[in-house]
């Protein structure tokens, strides 16, 4: 794994599901390493159905 590339996580503000860029969401066709900006705009939270705009970047 290349640790020189920083990845971010994004939190659903409605149910607290976390999208991790490093992990992606393969079950939704989003490969590991996919940056948030490349996640399709019509993608929804798999837990509660919230839209992408309901996610906020988290900083560890």
């Amino acid at each position: 794994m290349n640790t020189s590339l920083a990845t971010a996580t994004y939190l659903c503000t409605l149910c607290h599901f976390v999208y991790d860029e490093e992990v992606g969401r393969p079950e939704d066709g989003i490969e590991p390493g996919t940056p948030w900006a490349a996640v399709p705009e019509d993608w929804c939270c798999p837990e509660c159905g919230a839209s992408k705009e309901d996610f906020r970047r988290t900083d560890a």
Side-chain angles (χ1 to χ4, degrees), residues 17-19 23-32 34 36 38-40 42-47 49-50 55:
F17 172 83
V18 175
Y19 172 79
V23 176
R25 183 80 181 155
E27 54 269 68
D28 292 337
I30 303 169
E31 295 301 316
T34 301
W36 184 246
V39 172
D42 63 350
W43 180 79
C44 296
C45 176
E47 296 292 324
F55 281 74

Side-chain angles (χ1 to χ4, degrees), residues 12-17 25 44-51 54-55:
C12 176
T13 59
L14 301 180
C15 75
H16 302 116
F17 172 83
R25 183 80 181 155
C44 296
C45 176
E47 296 292 324
C48 73
S51 67
D54 290 314
F55 281 74

